[in-house]
Amino acid sequence: MPSLSPSKTKGALFDAAAFADALKSAVDAERAGQRHGAVGKLLRETMPAVRRDGLGHSDRGDKVAARIARSMDAIIKALYKLSPASGDGIALCAIGGYGRRELAPFSDIDLLFLHRSKQKPAGDAALRAVTDFMLYALWDSGLKIGHGVHTPKTAIDFAKQDMIARTAYLDARLICGSKKLFDDFHGGYDRLRWGTKSQFVAAKLKEQDERHAAAGETRYLVEPDIKEGKGALRDVQTIRWLYKYAYGGAIGEHKAIDKIMDVSERRALQKAERFLWSVRAHLHDLRGRADERLTFDIQPEIAARLNYADRKNISAAERLMKHYFLNTVEVGRLTRILFAKLEEERAKRRPRLPALLPKELQSDEAPGKPNLRIRGGRLDFASAARARKTPRDFFRLFRAFSKQPKFDFHPDALAVIAEQTPKVTSDVRKDVSIAALFEGILTKSSDPVRVLRVMTETGLLGKYIPAYGSIVGRIDYGLYRRFTLDEHVLRSLGVLARIRRGQLKDDHPIATKLIKNADTPLLYFLAMLLRESIWTLGEKSALQCEKLVQRIARRLGLSVEDATLVGWAAANHLMMVRTAERRDLTEARAIEDFAKSVGSRARLDLMLVLSVCHLRVVGWHSWDELTRRQITELYEAAAVWFEDGEAALRESLGARAAAARSQTKVQLSGWSEAEKEDFLSRLTDAMFRSVGPDIIVRFAYLAQAAQTDRADAAVTVTPRDGDLEAIIYADDRPGLLADIAGVAATSGLGVRSVQALTTADGKALDIFVLQSPDGAPLEDLNLSRRLHGALLSAARKAPGKPPSLRRRLGDRRSIFSVTPAVRVEIDASQDATVVETEGLDRPGLLFELAAALADMDVSIVSAHIATYGERAVDAFYLCDRKRSKITDAATLKQIEKKLLSVLSSGSSQ
């Protein structure tokens, strides 16, 4: 690990002797009634010096934590010395992290006051005087203090009932006061520990499982929790707690450690712990508070403090995060070792678990009998020596687990694999029997994600497929993805496996049918596994990516034809998603262009499955009802084009419009035939292809109400799938769409989608789907009422002043940079010119872009919004005021220049 740079914070450091003198003066002043709150004020002023002292004296995070704890000891001792305490009636103990001498700059301080009084603490005046004196001073300092007041007996009784207290007391140490009291407490705790080892281990395992579940069952979040995340500091502490509870001493203080972890494993634990503590110490210092989440905005600064530098194709922050993931993997491996050894110790005291290898595991796709056994209820090599010489055995172990995951891996077996991965050479990669085993692992596992993740963490999968190994721990730096690239791939494979088993048939009937009927399921699994291979290339060339993936797919058993298909899919896996989000799918031209780019029905089928699996995983809110509808419409329309040609596609789109028109007519049940015909005659087929009959019906009632009331506009705001759907009926005018977008921005809402339609008689039908910036459900009725009023006002008349645009608290988009771009595509639509803008997203961006177009007297026929974290890509279908397609080169150049100016004006905010 790179060495630590000293803290940049300047100021005086902590001096224990000087503090003790100052404290005495402050206490004397308070007792004399001369200065109120003097002790708390002194402590508040002292704590920054304590933090500076810790960060300024060490190049290791664990030593920073220990030094801060030592300074805190001096503060507590000085306070205790000046308290009304007397004799041996009180023992003041540090517990929890403070007891372990592990204090980050803004950690909580946990204390235990032990006493002998038979009275309750509130009734013991002497005890109360001590606790009040110390605790009020510490509270006044701004420190977060946790405390308990007990006799040794009541402390142990409490620990029996409360696992949090029992865990905190495990690390208790005496700071000052009666040693005898502390020894009595410690002796009682030790007796409790001896009789409850199994209970404690079970409780900690359950707690860890729950914590991991809350963290998404993965250590590969792009913005991880340095303390509570999987493989983070809490897991390191769990290893130490379990060992200490089982053996009565810290790791290294008891000979039993030699049976649990060898020297190299203990060093690995220490190295991981030091790294995590270094990151945490600087995270606290930079934030100025107890913040444990390693977010994008702070990662570059921590990388700089830890002396990481940019390398070719990878930034300093990415290198920091790659090391973070490697260390959390190591913590996971060491946790697995400890758990297995503890289980083996317990197994010695109970009937032996069956050691016979189940019949199902006695054969697989490779020749000969597998070199496997069941050891302590876990999968292990029957001969580790043989496994070291035969890399095929590595894959047989994982294949066995894929069949019966109830037998977890024995850590000794995984240690052999991790040690021997350098032996996975080109000869191993070309081994046909290993390819067959790998196909079984991929396509026949009940839980392929779990198998492949362990293969990844041992290094085997990355060595077997180097293109995959290159993305392990890599981050696509931005707010769109939740996980590292490799974790995204594995989770997508998990979705694919669930679709294949029919578990998601209600959500994805088309994808389920496609993969269920596939002649070669491996094709789909390899396409998913290799879909991010372009990241392995120095220059991200689609052609080079396609060739690379083809070679890998051939080696892994696919035919030339199937390998070519997989290569194409990996190089173009986002084509369907981007088309669905950025094009008007009611136009035959958009469908035809997409289908021609895809080239074949087989490619279309594969792309649908890849798109579904990708979107369900990639972002927090990347899969919703709108996305499902867009993807489905694009697939079904393209399928018609492939099956029956261009004419059939146009006929299908026409039939869809006719069916929607007919359904709308039926739903207008309270209207006369004349009223229906009059209204429907004003609507074009394009409108019926764009929106469903339910929206057309609501539009009809809006129009009817407006005419009855002689109003020039009407609005409805309706909750839908956690978003708000706003339908606006108004006289069409330049800038109407911009005004509506401005209201959304002023309300603090993001625009999920826009449909801007115009009737034959010049009435605008605008449909906005609005969402909260963080994707949380919008359930505030007051917000809906305010939004309705503001939208109605803007629909009636252009606002007199531009909207107030400001970033909300916590908006982190501005920490990234996106190169502004404007792309003009004259041939993308038959009736309009498509202009696509790309830039850094910000509040009101759609308003600014739409307003700029209105200033140029350009009409927006439809707008298609796509947001990828901090990156906004908006596609506008444009016409002139006469509703004609814009083809004049000078006008298009002016549009491009104006929009680029809007995008650039916010790129540096």
Side-chain angles (χ1 to χ4, degrees):
M1 185 193 81
S3 61
L4 232 63
S5 298
S7 173
K8 302 279 191 287
T9 309
K10 295 181 179 179
L13 302 183
F14 177 70
D15 183 317
F19 170 78
D21 292 341
L23 180 64
K24 185 176 186 309
S25 297
V27 170
D28 289 344
E30 274 201 18
R31 288 174 175 166
Q34 300 303 307
R35 291 171 58 195
H36 177 71
V39 176
K41 182 175 183 294
L42 174 63
L43 287 172
R44 277 198 307 276
E45 294 170 348
T46 299
M47 288 312 299
V50 168
R51 297 174 187 122
R52 284 193 296 269
D53 183 69
L55 288 158
H57 275 80
S58 178
D59 62 351
R60 278 192 357 216
D62 57 331
K63 288 192 174 182
V64 171
R67 190 170 183 90
I68 292 175
R70 189 179 74 177
S71 297
M72 200 67 224
D73 282 357
I75 291 171
I76 296 294
K77 288 176 181 178
L79 272 172
Y80 185 80
K81 184 177 180 180
L82 295 172
S83 75
S86 62
D88 62 352
I90 296 177
L92 183 51
C93 313
I95 58 175
Y98 181 27
R100 294 190 300 276
R101 294 185 173 86
E102 294 177 350
L103 289 181
F106 290 90
S107 286
D108 300 352
I109 309 297
D110 294 322
L111 299 170
L112 174 63
F113 292 86
L114 293 172
H115 65 96
R116 292 195 184 280
S117 175
K118 295 181 180 180
Q119 300 182 56
K120 291 184 177 180
D124 187 326
L127 174 63
R128 181 68 180 269
V130 175
T131 57
D132 284 356
F133 171 78
M134 298 197 67
L135 291 174
Y136 280 116
L138 292 168
W139 286 331
D140 286 347
S141 73
L143 290 168
K144 189 173 181 181
I145 304 296
H147 77 284
V149 182
H150 286 285
T151 66
K153 182 181 183 305
T154 62
I156 302 307
D157 289 342
F158 182 53
K160 289 177 182 177
Q161 306 301 321
D162 190 291
M163 192 57 67
I164 295 175
R166 196 187 307 183
T167 305
Y169 293 171
L170 180 61
D171 295 309
R173 62 181 174 84
L174 180 65
I175 304 175
C176 49
S178 172
K179 184 176 184 303
K180 187 174 188 313
L181 261 175
F182 178 76
D183 289 343
D184 289 347
F185 160 76
H186 188 268
Y189 185 87
D190 218 34
R191 289 188 292 274
L192 171 65
R193 181 184 65 79
W194 271 106
T196 57
K197 292 180 182 179
S198 296
Q199 180 194 46
F200 185 84
V201 170
K204 288 293 119 180
L205 294 183
K206 181 183 178 184
E207 177 187 295
Q208 186 179 67
D209 289 343
E210 291 172 350
R211 190 173 67 252
H212 290 171
E217 289 290 357
T218 182
R219 56 178 56 87
Y220 300 106
L221 292 167
V222 295
E223 294 184 310
D225 187 315
I226 195 75
K227 182 179 178 183
E228 302 289 347
K230 190 172 184 178
L233 277 168
R234 188 68 79 200
D235 282 359
V236 174
Q237 290 159 0
T238 298
I239 291 174
R240 296 192 179 279
W241 286 332
L242 292 177
Y243 180 86
K244 190 171 185 179
Y245 206 90
Y247 299 105
I251 290 177
E253 295 179 3
H254 198 288
K255 291 184 178 180
I257 188 59
D258 296 330
K259 301 177 182 178
I260 306 296
M261 293 181 180
D262 62 27
V263 173
S264 65
E265 288 163 344
R266 295 201 294 274
R267 286 175 180 165
L269 178 64
Q270 189 178 57
K271 179 182 177 183
E273 187 173 26
R274 287 175 179 174
F275 173 86
L276 293 170
W277 264 108
S278 297
V279 173
R280 190 183 184 209
H282 282 281
L283 179 57
H284 276 215
D285 185 46
L286 287 164
R287 290 291 194 205
R289 64 181 188 275
D291 189 347
E292 313 297 350
R293 194 169 175 221
L294 193 52
T295 52
F296 282 123
D297 55 327
I298 211 76
Q299 289 171 13
E301 182 63 29
I302 291 180
R305 285 196 174 194
L306 297 178
N307 288 339
Y308 284 90
D310 293 344
R311 297 278 177 84
K312 186 177 180 181
N313 298 326
I314 185 168
S315 68
E318 287 179 280
R319 291 184 60 223
L320 165 75
M321 295 310 297
K322 193 174 182 73
H323 284 175
Y324 170 83
F325 296 125
L326 290 173
N327 278 287
T328 58
V329 167
E330 191 68 357
V331 171
R333 181 179 74 87
L334 297 170
T335 301
R336 190 188 297 272
I337 289 172
L338 179 61
F339 288 173
K341 294 298 174 65
L342 290 174
E343 284 179 8
E344 288 178 358
E345 288 292 316
R346 292 202 303 273
K348 293 176 182 177
R349 299 188 292 271
R350 63 177 185 245
R352 293 177 64 88
L353 295 170
L356 291 176
L357 197 65
K359 186 175 181 180
E360 185 184 4
L361 305 186
Q362 292 179 15
S363 63
D364 52 31
E365 291 82 357
K369 184 178 179 181
N371 174 27
L372 300 174
R373 64 170 173 166
I374 302 298
R375 175 183 162 201
R378 293 170 180 255
L379 275 170
D380 194 8
F381 294 120
S383 168
R386 176 183 158 189
R388 287 186 173 91
K389 298 176 182 178
T390 314
R392 184 187 301 160
D393 286 352
F394 306 163
F395 295 85
R396 301 187 88 163
L397 178 81
F398 287 107
R399 181 68 182 105
F401 178 82
S402 74
K403 294 179 181 180
Q404 290 211 17
K406 68 178 181 180
F407 294 111
D408 200 358
F409 301 102
H410 197 285
D412 288 353
L414 297 182
V416 169
I417 294 173
E419 167 196 320
Q420 297 296 315
T421 48
K423 292 187 177 179
V424 179
T425 60
S426 59
D427 289 340
V428 175
R429 298 186 191 105
K430 294 174 183 177
D431 189 309
V432 176
S433 63
I434 290 179
L437 288 167
F438 187 65
E439 178 178 356
I441 292 169
L442 264 184
T443 64
K444 298 176 184 178
S445 296
S446 59
D447 187 358
V449 177
R450 188 177 174 193
V451 188
L452 295 171
R453 187 178 288 132
V454 179
M455 289 183 74
T456 299
E457 292 176 354
T458 60
L460 179 61
L461 185 55
K463 197 69 175 176
Y464 185 57
I465 305 177
Y468 172 82
S470 297
I471 67 169
V472 172
R474 287 288 304 268
I475 292 175
D476 181 6
Y477 234 70
L479 297 174
Y480 184 49
R481 291 185 190 254
R482 290 184 288 169
F483 308 110
T484 57
L485 295 177
D486 54 312
E487 181 70 6
H488 171 70
V489 166
L490 297 186
R491 286 181 174 245
S492 298
L493 280 166
V495 175
L496 177 61
R498 293 174 64 200
I499 291 174
R500 188 185 179 205
R501 290 194 295 268
Q503 295 173 337
L504 299 175
K505 62 182 179 181
D506 292 338
D507 294 333
H508 308 296
I510 300 173
T512 300
K513 183 178 179 181
L514 288 174
I515 195 164
K516 184 177 180 181
N517 296 332
D519 294 329
T520 312
L522 179 63
L523 183 152
Y524 285 86
F525 282 87
L526 285 181
M528 186 62 67
L529 179 66
L530 301 171
R531 64 188 300 279
E532 300 288 358
S533 296
I534 196 167
W535 286 83
T536 69
L537 303 173
E539 296 183 6
K540 292 182 172 60
S541 160
L543 179 60
Q544 292 303 316
C545 175
E546 188 170 346
K547 290 179 178 179
L548 170 65
V549 173
Q550 283 180 21
R551 291 196 299 271
I552 299 170
R554 285 287 292 132
R555 173 168 62 80
L556 294 175
L558 289 184
S559 65
V560 173
E561 181 181 359
D562 286 345
T564 301
L565 179 56
V566 169
W568 179 87
N572 300 277
H573 64 273
L574 293 176
M575 183 187 293
M576 173 174 274
V577 175
R578 288 172 175 166
T579 301
E581 291 176 333
R582 306 179 191 178
R583 290 295 177 265
D584 183 352
L585 303 183
T586 68
E587 283 198 350
R589 174 73 63 85
I591 307 300
E592 291 167 4
D593 289 348
F594 168 71
K596 289 174 183 176
S597 297
V598 172
S600 73
R601 178 60 187 270
R603 286 179 173 181
L604 178 68
D605 291 347
L606 179 57
M607 184 165 283
L608 172 74
V609 176
L610 293 182
S611 299
V612 167
C613 296
H614 163 74
L615 288 168
R616 283 193 64 118
V617 171
V618 61
W620 291 108
H621 307 285
S622 54
W623 181 261
D624 56 16
E625 179 58 25
L626 176 62
T627 301
R628 185 202 65 77
R629 189 168 67 246
Q630 290 172 333
I631 293 291
T632 302
E633 287 178 2
L634 178 57
Y635 172 82
E636 290 179 340
V640 169
W641 188 89
F642 279 117
E643 293 296 321
D644 300 310
E646 179 181 335
L649 171 62
R650 295 180 183 277
E651 182 180 338
S652 173
L653 293 175
R656 191 168 90 191
R661 188 181 289 272
S662 177
Q663 292 173 33
T664 302
K665 191 172 183 179
V666 170
Q667 291 183 37
L668 292 172
S669 56
W671 291 32
S672 68
E673 287 299 316
E675 288 174 326
K676 292 179 183 179
E677 290 301 327
D678 177 63
F679 173 73
L680 294 175
S681 66
R682 298 158 58 193
L683 310 185
T684 65
D685 281 355
M687 295 181 75
F688 282 103
R689 290 196 301 268
S690 298
V691 295
D694 58 328
I695 291 180
I696 296 291
V697 168
R698 277 189 277 165
F699 174 53
Y701 284 111
L702 278 179
Q704 185 185 60
Q707 290 173 356
T708 301
D709 298 338
R710 297 184 178 181
D712 52 3
V715 172
T716 64
V717 177
T718 308
R720 181 175 288 235
D721 299 321
D723 299 330
L724 292 178
E725 182 182 74
I727 301 177
I728 298 97
Y729 166 82
D731 292 328
D732 197 14
R733 58 176 166 79
L736 175 61
L737 188 97
D739 293 338
I740 300 302
V743 170
T746 302
S747 302
L749 300 175
V751 178
R752 177 68 180 85
S753 69
V754 176
Q755 290 278 5
L757 307 171
T758 307
T759 64
D761 59 343
K763 295 293 184 179
L765 169 60
D766 290 348
I767 305 111
F768 277 67
V769 176
L770 306 174
Q771 62 183 12
S772 65
D774 58 3
L778 292 170
E779 299 172 343
D780 185 352
L781 293 178
N782 290 327
L783 172 63
S784 298
R785 293 190 190 101
R786 291 195 304 271
L787 182 64
H788 179 275
L791 288 173
L792 184 59
S793 177
R796 287 171 173 166
K797 183 181 179 182
K801 59 181 181 179
S804 174
L805 304 177
R806 61 182 184 276
R807 292 192 181 276
R808 65 182 177 86
L809 187 65
D811 187 341
R812 294 178 292 126
R813 291 174 293 188
S814 61
I815 67 175
F816 299 94
S817 61
V818 177
T819 303
V822 177
R823 295 177 284 272
V824 178
E825 300 184 34
I826 297 178
D827 298 326
S829 170
Q830 183 173 339
D831 302 318
T833 298
V834 178
V835 176
E836 198 172 272
T837 65
E838 180 173 0
L840 183 67
D841 196 16
R842 62 180 187 265
L845 177 60
L846 177 61
F847 158 75
E848 294 181 52
L849 293 170
L853 291 170
D855 289 344
M856 290 184 285
D857 208 27
V858 171
S859 293
I860 300 174
V861 178
S862 66
H864 305 267
I865 313 302
T867 305
Y868 311 99
E870 73 286 352
R871 183 185 303 271
V873 182
D874 299 337
F876 299 97
Y877 280 63
L878 304 179
C879 288
D880 60 23
R881 294 305 300 161
K882 297 179 180 179
R883 309 296 288 183
S884 298
K885 184 175 181 176
I886 302 171
T887 56
D888 178 67
T891 301
L892 293 174
K893 193 68 178 175
Q894 183 184 7
I895 290 172
E896 181 180 353
K897 182 179 179 181
K898 183 76 170 178
L899 295 180
L900 196 58
S901 175
V902 171
L903 294 168
S904 300
S905 67
S907 62
S908 60
Q909 291 180 4

